[in-house]
Amino acid sequence: MIVLLGVNHKTAPLAVREKIFSGCEEEKDLFSRLLSLKGVQEVLHISTCNRIEIIASIEGKEETVRSLFDFLAQNGNLTQEEAEKCLYNYCDKEAVRHIFRVASSLDSLVMGETQILGQVKDAYRRALERNATGTVLNRLMHRAFRTAKRVRSETAIAVNPVSVSFAAVELAKKIFGTLTGRKILLIGAGEMAELTGTHLISSGAEDIIVANRSPSHAAQLAEKFHGEAVSLDALGEKLIEADIVISSTDAPDYIVTADLIRKIHHQRKNRLLFLIDIAVPRDIDPAADSIDNVYLYNIDNLQDIVDENMNIRKKEALKAEAIVEEEIMRYTNWLKELEAVPTIVSLRSKAEEITQAEMKKASNWMQKFDQEEQEKIKVLVNSIVNKILHTPVSVLKEECSEVGSTDIVATVRQIFRLDE
Amino acid sequence: MSLISLGLILFKIVFALCTLSVAGYLLSLLVKRVMLAKISTWILAIAFVFLTVYLLLAVISSTGFHNLGSRAFFSFCALSASGVYLALQFKTKTRLLGAFISPFILFFMIAAAGQETGKSLLPEGLRNWLTMAHLTLTIVGEVLFVLASCAGAMFIIQNGLLKHKKLSSMSRLLPSLSDLDKINHICLLWGFPILTVGIIAGAVSAGFTWERGWPADPKIIWTVSAWIIYGFLLHQRLAIGWKGFRMAVVSCAVFILFLLSYIGVRFCFTTLHDFI
């Protein structure tokens, strides 16, 4: 049986997640302790800022689940009430669904974000290094990664950005193609402008100029980006050089007027200009947008794009859920087939024993044949046995994956007296 | 198998591939998947290779380049259009431009298919290398102008979407404004000198053939007008700094004007260039 226990951003506040996170981090031999719990056969531990989860393959249900529950509660130093409120646990199909959805980023705070898959892979790698996983969890995690890959490639869940700064980067790419060699002018040293600038630079933009009313703030930010700091008086001159302008000052009036843009546009040789105005009240005159080759986006325009992208993600999530269900079916079928494996092994062993015993009995009269003929008889006997066993083994596998193994396994064991 | 029947098979294959790539490009616009445009580009690249082989066979089976049949000539127009487009793909990743240029390529192929096999393109007195060079270079120059205009049309669409603050799936599908402007620039930069040399070759050839230099032929007037406008656009771009939206609008307007006047000239006048 597969079980999954844990907390996430939906069920537990940050303070509780922190406590469990620290408790698990401090635990020196986490995997050995988990594996030493009665009934735990395989185990894996996922720990990120938004979730702490334990996935285990266990024998026997209630007692083992309770011990895993207590383990998490004790590590997080949680009261009984806190634990009952925050910790969730899923069994079998539900557990499989949960881990597939987590790996596919359907359960993330920002649906479709790409980090979680790497974090789940890291968690699996750690468990592998400690030999904490076996057949069941290995297969489960490979299926989870495959599901995540399918969700990413077959849906557009992670395609469109859902943050204002990434939306600005995407727009810049639609205007300039590549951002390599593009010059950014930051007007004001606000946090949002800084974040957008950081994203643009990590996407290839090279030069950055910071223009600010306070020279010390400008110099501080410019140093961070290895750029140039200028005063607001030099704005006109620097606008000629810039390709992307991000403005976020708290000035009450327009800092960049449409007339200023018109005036410098000829000196810019009509190059494309992307203006991002994230200030409230606005820093850039909206009339600038009517100038050819000038593209002005304010915070509302960017937020609209983000909202639209979020809606697209929600629609894509429906397709992703269908993929998850498909993969759950495949995995659970395999899991059911796995239940037939001991019976198949017993059946083959029994057939092998009977064959060996009969061949031994026949060894006297087989003496009259030469060595080559004896080998041929052995091959013939093995072939007949394999052919006879082929159908029951296939039916056993099929029935186990489709209907559930209990009845058919019991019947086969009874018919062939495998338990004697 | 004779060279002619091999050529015919190749022509049919190219025709089928061109049709397939046009369908692929249009479908990519419809379902808004750039992957389909990428596949169509590969199909077009294969068609280009087959078309090159077909034209080589056509040159070998005729008595020389200047004696090329009219089917081969129109195929050459398709070859130059696809060749220029494919070459631009090395410079910019603008697969979707194919959706705009591939119908022109297919149009050339249909025109080629409509020609009688073995019919010579040039009339008896004009079959010389200079006239053929004139035709070839003029066509390549004008194909580059068509491409510049296609890039311009795409620029106008993308510009409209971005100005309306819509980062829609169509906007995501279309190439960036900068790439489209670059294509317009490259096409004008290469197209103008090629067209210039083509026109000079035509003038020299006319001087030899008709011994009266430049007759007032509607198609000649049409081509020279195209050349003048072409030169004007290039001048505005290089010297005055026209870029982006204005260049795109003017390129498209000029292209539509020339297309309409070409249709007028082609069907309403008898010209010295009636063979094309």
Side-chain angles (χ1 to χ4, degrees), chain A residues 160 170-171 173-177 182 266 269-270 272 289 291-297 301 305 309, chain B residues 155 158-159 161-163 165-167 171-172 174-179 240-246:
Chain A
N160 306 321
E170 201 194 2
L171 279 165
K173 284 184 179 168
K174 274 291 130 197
I175 295 169
F176 299 107
R182 300 290 169 189
H266 185 66
K269 294 188 176 165
N270 296 312
L272 301 169
D289 194 42
I291 302 168
D292 286 350
N293 300 343
V294 175
Y295 303 89
L296 169 62
Y297 279 71
N301 302 142
I305 292 172
N309 290 348
Chain B
F155 188 103
Q158 181 69 292
N159 178 76
L161 292 167
L162 290 173
K163 283 275 184 190
K165 321 295 173 209
K166 292 241 185 271
L167 198 54
S171 180
R172 289 194 173 94
L174 288 170
S176 68
L177 293 173
S178 188
D179 277 347
I240 311 294
W242 278 18
K243 272 191 185 74
F245 185 66
R246 185 178 294 181

Side-chain angles (χ1 to χ4, degrees), chain B residues 15 21 34 40 44 68 122 130-131 184 190 194 198 205:
Chain B
F15 195 92
S21 78
V34 81
S40 301
L44 198 64
L68 215 54
L122 296 171
L130 212 51
T131 312
N184 185 285
W190 281 90
I194 290 173
S205 161

Side-chain angles (χ1 to χ4, degrees), chain B residues 53-265:
Chain B
V53 178
Y54 165 72
L55 281 167
L56 285 175
L57 290 180
V59 172
I60 293 165
S61 58
S62 70
T63 49
F65 186 55
H66 55 287
N67 280 328
L68 215 54
S70 42
R71 173 173 287 185
F73 178 76
F74 282 103
S75 303
F76 173 76
C77 295
L79 181 89
S80 54
S82 48
V84 170
Y85 163 71
L86 291 169
L88 280 172
Q89 294 310 300
F90 288 107
K91 219 54 180 147
T92 55
K93 301 280 179 223
T94 48
R95 308 278 182 257
L96 218 72
L97 184 63
F100 289 73
I101 194 71
S102 64
F104 287 97
I105 297 168
L106 187 62
F107 168 75
F108 285 132
M109 288 306 291
I110 292 168
Q115 305 298 315
E116 278 175 44
T117 322
K119 183 193 156 197
S120 189
L121 173 75
L122 296 171
E124 192 65 44
L126 290 174
R127 278 182 208 157
N128 58 57
W129 281 91
L130 212 51
T131 312
M132 207 59 190
H134 156 63
L135 281 180
T136 309
L137 292 170
T138 312
I139 290 291
V140 172
E142 276 161 10
V143 158
L144 280 161
F145 194 38
V146 170
L147 259 169
S149 309
C150 287
M154 290 170 81
F155 188 103
I156 292 168
I157 298 170
Q158 181 69 292
N159 178 76
L161 292 167
L162 290 173
K163 283 275 184 190
H164 283 93
K165 321 295 173 209
K166 292 241 185 271
L167 198 54
S168 62
S169 47
M170 179 53 93
S171 180
R172 289 194 173 94
L173 189 68
L174 288 170
S176 68
L177 293 173
S178 188
D179 277 347
L180 292 168
D181 193 47
K182 195 193 278 177
I183 288 176
N184 185 285
H185 179 73
I186 293 170
C187 290
L188 287 182
L189 207 63
W190 281 90
F192 184 71
I194 290 173
L195 189 62
T196 309
V197 177
I199 289 173
I200 293 169
V204 176
S205 161
F208 281 128
T209 316
W210 295 314
E211 293 174 352
R212 58 191 159 98
W214 291 64
D217 181 69
K219 260 191 194 157
I220 293 177
I221 294 167
W222 180 81
T223 307
V224 171
S225 313
W227 179 76
I228 292 168
I229 301 276
Y230 224 149
F232 169 74
L233 284 181
L234 194 61
H235 171 266
Q236 295 303 96
R237 186 180 257 286
L238 298 178
I240 311 294
W242 278 18
K243 272 191 185 74
F245 185 66
R246 185 178 294 181
M247 206 63 200
V249 170
V250 178
S251 300
C252 283
V254 170
F255 174 70
I256 292 167
L257 197 72
F258 275 111
L259 192 67
L260 292 175
S261 58
Y262 175 80
I263 293 166
V265 168

Side-chain angles (χ1 to χ4, degrees), chain A residues 311-329:
Chain A
N311 286 335
I312 294 172
R313 283 196 182 194
K314 279 177 188 160
K315 280 182 199 161
E316 292 301 309
L318 295 175
K319 289 186 204 165
E321 295 287 1
I323 294 171
V324 167
E325 288 306 314
E326 219 175 276
E327 292 296 334
I328 291 171
M329 178 107 73

